[in-house]
Short mmCIF file of all heavy atoms in Angstrom, two decimals:
data_model
loop_
_atom_site.label_atom_id
_atom_site.label_comp_id
_atom_site.label_asym_id
_atom_site.label_seq_id
_atom_site.Cartn_x
_atom_site.Cartn_y
_atom_site.Cartn_z
N LYS A 1 -5.96 3.55 7.71
CA LYS A 1 -5.97 2.09 7.77
C LYS A 1 -4.84 1.60 8.72
O LYS A 1 -3.88 2.31 8.83
CB LYS A 1 -5.94 1.52 6.45
CG LYS A 1 -4.46 1.51 5.86
CD LYS A 1 -4.50 0.83 4.45
CE LYS A 1 -3.04 0.92 3.92
NZ LYS A 1 -2.79 0.96 2.58
N LEU A 2 -5.08 0.51 9.28
CA LEU A 2 -4.09 -0.07 10.21
C LEU A 2 -2.83 -0.45 9.46
O LEU A 2 -2.94 -1.18 8.45
CB LEU A 2 -4.69 -1.24 10.94
CG LEU A 2 -4.20 -1.42 12.38
CD1 LEU A 2 -4.32 -0.15 13.18
CD2 LEU A 2 -5.01 -2.49 13.13
N PHE A 3 -1.73 -0.15 9.93
CA PHE A 3 -0.49 -0.37 9.20
C PHE A 3 0.42 -1.45 9.87
O PHE A 3 0.77 -2.34 9.15
CB PHE A 3 0.17 0.97 9.21
CG PHE A 3 1.59 1.02 8.54
CD1 PHE A 3 1.68 1.08 7.18
CD2 PHE A 3 2.69 0.92 9.36
CE1 PHE A 3 2.90 1.07 6.59
CE2 PHE A 3 3.94 0.89 8.75
CZ PHE A 3 4.07 0.96 7.39
N CYS A 4 0.57 -1.27 11.15
CA CYS A 4 1.30 -2.28 11.92
C CYS A 4 0.29 -3.03 12.80
O CYS A 4 -0.17 -2.45 13.72
CB CYS A 4 2.37 -1.59 12.76
SG CYS A 4 3.28 -2.78 13.88
N LEU A 5 -0.01 -4.22 12.46
CA LEU A 5 -1.04 -5.02 13.20
C LEU A 5 -0.56 -5.29 14.62
O LEU A 5 -1.33 -5.30 15.52
CB LEU A 5 -1.35 -6.29 12.44
CG LEU A 5 -1.93 -6.18 11.03
CD1 LEU A 5 -2.15 -7.48 10.36
CD2 LEU A 5 -3.24 -5.40 11.08
N CYS A 6 0.74 -5.58 14.74
CA CYS A 6 1.27 -5.98 16.06
C CYS A 6 1.05 -4.92 17.11
O CYS A 6 0.69 -5.17 18.24
CB CYS A 6 2.69 -6.32 16.01
SG CYS A 6 3.11 -7.79 15.03
N ASN A 7 1.24 -3.59 16.70
CA ASN A 7 1.23 -2.58 17.60
C ASN A 7 0.08 -1.53 17.35
O ASN A 7 0.04 -0.55 17.99
CB ASN A 7 2.58 -1.81 17.64
CG ASN A 7 3.69 -2.82 18.04
OD1 ASN A 7 3.67 -3.31 19.13
ND2 ASN A 7 4.59 -3.07 17.09
N GLU A 8 -0.83 -1.90 16.40
CA GLU A 8 -1.95 -1.17 16.08
C GLU A 8 -1.55 0.30 15.82
O GLU A 8 -2.05 1.29 16.38
CB GLU A 8 -2.99 -1.19 17.22
CG GLU A 8 -3.47 -2.59 17.43
CD GLU A 8 -4.74 -2.70 18.32
OE1 GLU A 8 -4.98 -1.67 19.00
OE2 GLU A 8 -5.36 -3.71 18.36
N VAL A 9 -0.68 0.45 14.87
CA VAL A 9 -0.26 1.79 14.40
C VAL A 9 -0.87 2.03 13.07
O VAL A 9 -0.93 1.21 12.21
CB VAL A 9 1.27 1.90 14.37
CG1 VAL A 9 1.73 3.28 13.94
CG2 VAL A 9 1.92 1.49 15.68
N GLU A 10 -1.35 3.28 12.91
CA GLU A 10 -1.97 3.73 11.64
C GLU A 10 -0.90 4.22 10.68
O GLU A 10 0.07 4.83 11.16
CB GLU A 10 -3.03 4.80 11.86
CG GLU A 10 -4.06 4.52 12.88
CD GLU A 10 -5.29 3.85 12.32
OE1 GLU A 10 -5.39 3.91 11.03
OE2 GLU A 10 -6.04 3.24 13.05
N GLU A 11 -1.19 4.08 9.40
CA GLU A 11 -0.26 4.55 8.39
C GLU A 11 -0.10 6.08 8.53
O GLU A 11 1.07 6.55 8.43
CB GLU A 11 -0.72 4.24 6.96
CG GLU A 11 0.20 4.77 5.94
CD GLU A 11 -0.14 4.26 4.51
OE1 GLU A 11 -0.40 3.06 4.38
OE2 GLU A 11 -0.14 5.11 3.60
N SER A 12 -1.17 6.72 8.81
CA SER A 12 -1.04 8.23 8.94
C SER A 12 -0.08 8.66 10.08
O SER A 12 0.55 9.64 10.05
CB SER A 12 -2.43 8.78 9.16
OG SER A 12 -3.10 8.27 10.28
N GLU A 13 -0.13 7.82 11.19
CA GLU A 13 0.70 8.13 12.31
C GLU A 13 2.18 7.95 11.85
O GLU A 13 3.03 8.80 12.34
CB GLU A 13 0.49 7.14 13.51
CG GLU A 13 -0.86 7.28 14.20
CD GLU A 13 -0.97 6.14 15.19
OE1 GLU A 13 -0.09 5.98 16.03
OE2 GLU A 13 -1.99 5.47 15.19
N VAL A 14 2.48 6.96 11.09
CA VAL A 14 3.82 6.70 10.74
C VAL A 14 4.34 7.88 9.87
O VAL A 14 5.42 8.43 10.06
CB VAL A 14 3.95 5.37 9.95
CG1 VAL A 14 5.33 5.15 9.44
CG2 VAL A 14 3.55 4.19 10.89
N ARG A 15 3.50 8.20 8.85
CA ARG A 15 3.78 9.35 7.95
C ARG A 15 4.06 10.64 8.78
O ARG A 15 5.01 11.35 8.49
CB ARG A 15 2.73 9.49 7.01
CG ARG A 15 3.15 9.45 5.55
CD ARG A 15 1.99 9.73 4.60
NE ARG A 15 1.75 8.58 3.75
CZ ARG A 15 2.47 8.23 2.69
NH1 ARG A 15 3.53 8.94 2.41
NH2 ARG A 15 2.16 7.17 1.98
N LYS A 16 3.13 10.93 9.67
CA LYS A 16 3.30 12.12 10.48
C LYS A 16 4.58 12.12 11.27
O LYS A 16 5.29 13.16 11.29
CB LYS A 16 2.07 12.23 11.38
CG LYS A 16 1.47 13.60 11.49
CD LYS A 16 0.32 13.69 12.49
CE LYS A 16 -0.94 13.15 11.87
NZ LYS A 16 -2.03 12.94 12.91
N ALA A 17 4.92 10.97 11.84
CA ALA A 17 6.15 10.91 12.70
C ALA A 17 7.38 11.12 11.87
O ALA A 17 8.30 11.80 12.26
CB ALA A 17 6.21 9.54 13.30
N ILE A 18 7.34 10.56 10.57
CA ILE A 18 8.46 10.73 9.64
C ILE A 18 8.64 12.25 9.33
O ILE A 18 9.69 12.83 9.47
CB ILE A 18 8.26 9.96 8.35
CG1 ILE A 18 8.30 8.49 8.65
CG2 ILE A 18 9.35 10.30 7.31
CD1 ILE A 18 7.90 7.59 7.48
N ARG A 19 7.52 12.87 9.01
CA ARG A 19 7.55 14.29 8.63
C ARG A 19 7.95 15.22 9.75
O ARG A 19 8.85 16.05 9.63
CB ARG A 19 6.20 14.73 8.13
CG ARG A 19 6.07 14.65 6.61
CD ARG A 19 4.79 15.04 6.12
NE ARG A 19 4.29 14.08 5.14
CZ ARG A 19 3.17 14.17 4.48
NH1 ARG A 19 2.28 15.13 4.78
NH2 ARG A 19 2.87 13.26 3.59
N LYS A 20 7.33 14.99 10.90
CA LYS A 20 7.50 15.90 12.04
C LYS A 20 8.93 15.77 12.57
O LYS A 20 9.55 16.77 12.91
CB LYS A 20 6.52 15.62 13.07
CG LYS A 20 5.37 16.60 13.18
CD LYS A 20 4.44 16.35 14.34
CE LYS A 20 4.95 17.02 15.59
NZ LYS A 20 4.15 16.68 16.78
N GLY A 21 9.40 14.50 12.71
CA GLY A 21 10.64 14.27 13.32
C GLY A 21 11.74 14.21 12.37
O GLY A 21 12.91 14.04 12.75
N GLU A 22 11.44 14.34 11.08
CA GLU A 22 12.49 14.18 10.02
C GLU A 22 13.20 12.92 10.29
O GLU A 22 14.46 12.88 10.29
CB GLU A 22 13.37 15.39 9.97
CG GLU A 22 12.57 16.63 9.57
CD GLU A 22 13.45 17.89 9.45
OE1 GLU A 22 14.70 17.77 9.44
OE2 GLU A 22 12.83 18.92 9.30
N LEU A 23 12.55 11.77 10.41
CA LEU A 23 13.13 10.56 10.65
C LEU A 23 13.21 9.71 9.33
O LEU A 23 12.21 9.33 8.76
CB LEU A 23 12.19 9.69 11.58
CG LEU A 23 11.82 10.44 12.94
CD1 LEU A 23 10.86 9.61 13.70
CD2 LEU A 23 12.99 10.72 13.73
N TYR A 24 14.43 9.54 8.88
CA TYR A 24 14.63 8.84 7.64
C TYR A 24 15.49 7.63 7.82
O TYR A 24 16.12 7.18 6.95
CB TYR A 24 15.30 9.84 6.61
CG TYR A 24 14.40 11.03 6.37
CD1 TYR A 24 14.67 12.29 6.82
CD2 TYR A 24 13.20 10.83 5.66
CE1 TYR A 24 13.83 13.34 6.67
CE2 TYR A 24 12.31 11.95 5.47
CZ TYR A 24 12.63 13.16 5.94
OH TYR A 24 11.79 14.18 5.78
N PHE A 25 15.30 7.06 9.02
CA PHE A 25 16.09 5.87 9.36
C PHE A 25 15.08 4.93 10.10
O PHE A 25 14.42 5.37 11.02
CB PHE A 25 17.16 6.31 10.23
CG PHE A 25 18.15 5.23 10.75
CD1 PHE A 25 18.76 4.36 9.80
CD2 PHE A 25 18.50 5.10 12.05
CE1 PHE A 25 19.62 3.41 10.21
CE2 PHE A 25 19.31 4.06 12.49
CZ PHE A 25 19.91 3.19 11.57
N LEU A 26 14.90 3.79 9.59
CA LEU A 26 13.85 2.83 10.08
C LEU A 26 13.79 2.65 11.56
O LEU A 26 12.72 2.81 12.18
CB LEU A 26 13.99 1.51 9.34
CG LEU A 26 12.68 0.66 9.35
CD1 LEU A 26 12.63 -0.16 8.06
CD2 LEU A 26 12.61 -0.20 10.54
N PRO A 27 14.95 2.41 12.21
CA PRO A 27 14.90 2.24 13.76
C PRO A 27 14.32 3.46 14.47
O PRO A 27 13.62 3.29 15.44
CB PRO A 27 16.31 1.92 14.06
CG PRO A 27 16.92 1.39 12.83
CD PRO A 27 16.21 2.10 11.72
N ALA A 28 14.60 4.59 13.92
CA ALA A 28 14.14 5.82 14.57
C ALA A 28 12.64 5.96 14.41
O ALA A 28 11.93 6.39 15.36
CB ALA A 28 14.83 7.07 13.89
N VAL A 29 12.17 5.48 13.26
CA VAL A 29 10.68 5.56 13.05
C VAL A 29 9.96 4.53 13.97
O VAL A 29 8.92 4.84 14.55
CB VAL A 29 10.27 5.25 11.56
CG1 VAL A 29 8.80 5.20 11.33
CG2 VAL A 29 10.96 6.32 10.67
N SER A 30 10.60 3.39 14.10
CA SER A 30 10.02 2.35 14.97
C SER A 30 10.02 2.79 16.44
O SER A 30 9.04 2.61 17.17
CB SER A 30 10.90 1.05 14.87
OG SER A 30 10.73 0.44 13.63
N GLU A 31 11.06 3.44 16.81
CA GLU A 31 11.19 3.97 18.24
C GLU A 31 10.07 5.00 18.46
O GLU A 31 9.46 5.04 19.51
CB GLU A 31 12.53 4.54 18.49
CG GLU A 31 12.83 4.70 19.92
CD GLU A 31 14.23 5.32 20.12
OE1 GLU A 31 15.16 4.92 19.40
OE2 GLU A 31 14.35 6.19 21.05
N ALA A 32 9.87 5.85 17.50
CA ALA A 32 8.93 6.94 17.67
C ALA A 32 7.43 6.48 17.66
O ALA A 32 6.60 7.03 18.31
CB ALA A 32 9.13 8.04 16.56
N THR A 33 7.19 5.44 16.86
CA THR A 33 5.75 5.09 16.68
C THR A 33 5.41 3.67 17.22
O THR A 33 4.26 3.41 17.38
CB THR A 33 5.46 5.03 15.12
OG1 THR A 33 6.24 3.98 14.55
CG2 THR A 33 5.69 6.33 14.47
N GLY A 34 6.41 2.85 17.41
CA GLY A 34 6.15 1.45 17.92
C GLY A 34 6.02 0.54 16.67
O GLY A 34 6.01 -0.70 16.89
N ALA A 35 5.75 1.09 15.45
CA ALA A 35 5.57 0.28 14.27
C ALA A 35 6.84 -0.51 14.03
O ALA A 35 7.94 0.04 14.08
CB ALA A 35 5.18 1.15 13.13
N GLY A 36 6.70 -1.78 13.69
CA GLY A 36 7.81 -2.58 13.25
C GLY A 36 8.57 -3.27 14.39
O GLY A 36 9.61 -3.91 14.15
N THR A 37 8.11 -3.14 15.65
CA THR A 37 8.86 -3.72 16.72
C THR A 37 8.34 -5.08 17.04
O THR A 37 8.88 -5.70 17.95
CB THR A 37 8.74 -2.77 17.97
OG1 THR A 37 7.39 -2.59 18.24
CG2 THR A 37 9.42 -1.44 17.69
N GLY A 38 7.28 -5.53 16.38
CA GLY A 38 6.76 -6.88 16.67
C GLY A 38 7.25 -7.90 15.72
O GLY A 38 8.44 -8.14 15.64
N CYS A 39 6.39 -8.44 14.83
CA CYS A 39 6.77 -9.53 13.92
C CYS A 39 7.71 -9.08 12.80
O CYS A 39 8.41 -9.90 12.21
CB CYS A 39 5.52 -10.13 13.31
SG CYS A 39 4.72 -9.05 12.07
N GLY A 40 7.75 -7.78 12.55
CA GLY A 40 8.64 -7.28 11.49
C GLY A 40 8.00 -7.18 10.12
O GLY A 40 8.66 -6.71 9.17
N ARG A 41 6.87 -7.78 9.97
CA ARG A 41 6.22 -7.88 8.67
C ARG A 41 6.00 -6.57 8.00
O ARG A 41 6.02 -6.45 6.73
CB ARG A 41 4.88 -8.62 8.80
CG ARG A 41 4.62 -9.50 7.67
CD ARG A 41 3.29 -10.32 7.96
NE ARG A 41 2.65 -9.91 9.26
CZ ARG A 41 1.41 -10.27 9.56
NH1 ARG A 41 0.75 -10.98 8.70
NH2 ARG A 41 0.90 -9.89 10.72
N CYS A 42 5.80 -5.53 8.78
CA CYS A 42 5.49 -4.20 8.17
C CYS A 42 6.75 -3.41 7.94
O CYS A 42 6.63 -2.27 7.41
CB CYS A 42 4.56 -3.44 9.17
SG CYS A 42 5.35 -3.14 10.75
N ARG A 43 7.92 -3.94 8.22
CA ARG A 43 9.12 -3.11 8.13
C ARG A 43 9.43 -2.65 6.68
O ARG A 43 9.86 -1.53 6.53
CB ARG A 43 10.29 -3.86 8.74
CG ARG A 43 10.45 -3.60 10.23
CD ARG A 43 11.64 -4.27 10.78
NE ARG A 43 11.29 -4.67 12.17
CZ ARG A 43 11.80 -5.72 12.75
NH1 ARG A 43 12.59 -6.57 12.15
NH2 ARG A 43 11.38 -6.11 13.94
N SER A 44 9.22 -3.50 5.78
CA SER A 44 9.50 -3.11 4.37
C SER A 44 8.58 -1.99 3.95
O SER A 44 8.93 -1.08 3.21
CB SER A 44 9.43 -4.26 3.41
OG SER A 44 8.13 -4.85 3.45
N ARG A 45 7.35 -2.03 4.47
CA ARG A 45 6.37 -0.95 4.15
C ARG A 45 6.80 0.34 4.89
O ARG A 45 6.58 1.46 4.26
CB ARG A 45 5.00 -1.43 4.58
CG ARG A 45 3.83 -0.50 4.27
CD ARG A 45 3.62 -0.41 2.78
NE ARG A 45 2.64 0.66 2.57
CZ ARG A 45 2.84 1.66 1.80
NH1 ARG A 45 3.93 1.81 1.13
NH2 ARG A 45 1.91 2.63 1.75
N ILE A 46 7.40 0.26 6.02
CA ILE A 46 7.86 1.50 6.71
C ILE A 46 8.91 2.10 5.85
O ILE A 46 8.93 3.29 5.68
CB ILE A 46 8.40 1.18 8.15
CG1 ILE A 46 7.32 0.53 9.05
CG2 ILE A 46 8.93 2.48 8.76
CD1 ILE A 46 7.87 0.20 10.36
N GLN A 47 9.85 1.20 5.40
CA GLN A 47 10.91 1.73 4.54
C GLN A 47 10.34 2.41 3.29
O GLN A 47 10.86 3.46 2.84
CB GLN A 47 11.78 0.61 4.13
CG GLN A 47 13.15 1.01 3.49
CD GLN A 47 13.95 1.99 4.33
OE1 GLN A 47 14.33 1.68 5.45
NE2 GLN A 47 14.23 3.20 3.77
N GLU A 48 9.34 1.90 2.69
CA GLU A 48 8.69 2.52 1.55
C GLU A 48 8.17 3.91 1.88
O GLU A 48 8.33 4.79 1.11
CB GLU A 48 7.57 1.64 0.99
CG GLU A 48 7.97 0.47 0.13
CD GLU A 48 6.81 -0.42 -0.24
OE1 GLU A 48 5.66 0.01 -0.25
OE2 GLU A 48 7.07 -1.58 -0.54
N LEU A 49 7.53 3.95 3.07
CA LEU A 49 6.99 5.31 3.45
C LEU A 49 8.14 6.29 3.65
O LEU A 49 8.04 7.44 3.24
CB LEU A 49 6.25 5.17 4.77
CG LEU A 49 4.84 4.52 4.71
CD1 LEU A 49 4.15 4.70 6.08
CD2 LEU A 49 3.97 5.12 3.66
N ILE A 50 9.24 5.84 4.24
CA ILE A 50 10.42 6.76 4.44
C ILE A 50 10.90 7.18 3.05
O ILE A 50 11.17 8.32 2.85
CB ILE A 50 11.51 5.96 5.13
CG1 ILE A 50 11.14 5.62 6.63
CG2 ILE A 50 12.87 6.74 5.14
CD1 ILE A 50 12.04 4.76 7.37
N ASP A 51 11.04 6.25 2.13
CA ASP A 51 11.53 6.59 0.81
C ASP A 51 10.57 7.60 0.13
O ASP A 51 11.03 8.54 -0.55
CB ASP A 51 11.66 5.30 -0.10
CG ASP A 51 12.77 4.42 0.45
OD1 ASP A 51 13.61 4.86 1.23
OD2 ASP A 51 12.78 3.28 -0.02
N GLU A 52 9.25 7.35 0.28
CA GLU A 52 8.28 8.33 -0.31
C GLU A 52 8.43 9.70 0.26
O GLU A 52 8.41 10.68 -0.43
CB GLU A 52 6.86 7.84 -0.05
CG GLU A 52 6.34 6.81 -1.05
CD GLU A 52 5.00 6.25 -0.62
OE1 GLU A 52 4.23 7.02 0.02
OE2 GLU A 52 4.74 5.09 -0.96
N GLU A 53 8.60 9.75 1.57
CA GLU A 53 8.69 11.03 2.26
C GLU A 53 10.05 11.71 1.92
O GLU A 53 10.10 12.94 1.78
CB GLU A 53 8.57 10.88 3.74
CG GLU A 53 7.19 10.44 4.27
CD GLU A 53 6.09 11.45 3.77
OE1 GLU A 53 6.38 12.66 3.90
OE2 GLU A 53 5.05 11.05 3.45
N LYS A 54 11.05 11.01 1.69
CA LYS A 54 12.34 11.56 1.27
C LYS A 54 12.24 12.27 -0.02
O LYS A 54 12.79 13.32 -0.24
CB LYS A 54 13.33 10.38 1.13
CG LYS A 54 14.48 10.42 2.18
CD LYS A 54 15.52 9.36 1.76
CE LYS A 54 16.14 8.70 3.00
NZ LYS A 54 16.87 7.49 2.70
N LYS A 55 11.41 11.65 -0.95
CA LYS A 55 11.35 12.20 -2.27
C LYS A 55 10.65 13.56 -2.22
O LYS A 55 10.81 14.40 -3.17
CB LYS A 55 10.47 11.26 -3.15
CG LYS A 55 11.29 10.19 -3.70
CD LYS A 55 10.51 9.41 -4.78
CE LYS A 55 11.04 7.98 -4.90
NZ LYS A 55 9.89 7.08 -4.89
N ARG A 56 9.88 13.86 -1.17
CA ARG A 56 9.12 15.14 -1.06
C ARG A 56 10.09 16.18 -0.59
O ARG A 56 9.65 17.37 -0.66
CB ARG A 56 8.01 15.00 -0.04
CG ARG A 56 6.94 13.99 -0.42
CD ARG A 56 6.08 13.76 0.76
NE ARG A 56 5.88 14.93 1.63
CZ ARG A 56 4.83 15.70 1.59
NH1 ARG A 56 3.78 15.38 0.79
NH2 ARG A 56 4.71 16.69 2.38
N LEU A 57 11.27 15.90 -0.17
CA LEU A 57 12.14 16.92 0.41
C LEU A 57 12.68 17.85 -0.70
O LEU A 57 12.95 17.41 -1.80
CB LEU A 57 13.38 16.21 1.14
CG LEU A 57 13.06 15.50 2.39
CD1 LEU A 57 14.32 14.85 2.91
CD2 LEU A 57 12.44 16.39 3.47
FE1 LIG B 101 4.28 -4.36 12.42
FE2 LIG B 101 4.08 -6.95 13.14
S1 LIG B 101 2.85 -5.84 11.74
S2 LIG B 101 5.62 -5.47 13.69
#
């Protein structure tokens, strides 16, 4: 499903970028995927994904 409407980024892309790049810092995830660089509405959700992925470590 579409995750960042501004930049048309899918949730799976964000998750993959976090895992592959070991990105646990929001700006790094935004830079890698483009998500969160527009209106910012999805940023709290990106942080949630980061936190979820961190728990898997
Ligand atoms: Fe992601 Fe606007 S929905 S920046």
Side-chain angles (χ1 to χ4, degrees):
K1 78 179 177 207
L2 213 51
F3 177 81
C4 176
L5 298 177
C6 294
N7 299 299
E8 299 192 345
V9 183
E10 306 271 343
E11 179 170 318
S12 58
E13 290 175 52
V14 176
R15 234 180 243 284
K16 223 181 280 168
I18 295 171
R19 266 180 223 180
K20 259 185 85 183
E22 297 182 9
L23 308 173
Y24 300 106
F25 183 52
L26 200 149
V29 177
S30 289
E31 196 181 321
T33 63
T37 58
C39 70
R41 218 174 1 168
C42 62
R43 271 181 215 149
S44 59
R45 185 66 190 124
I46 299 175
Q47 190 58 55
E48 278 174 25
L49 287 188
I50 292 173
D51 293 342
E52 278 173 29
E53 292 301 319
K54 247 190 215 162
K55 279 193 208 130
R56 297 166 36 100
L57 293 177

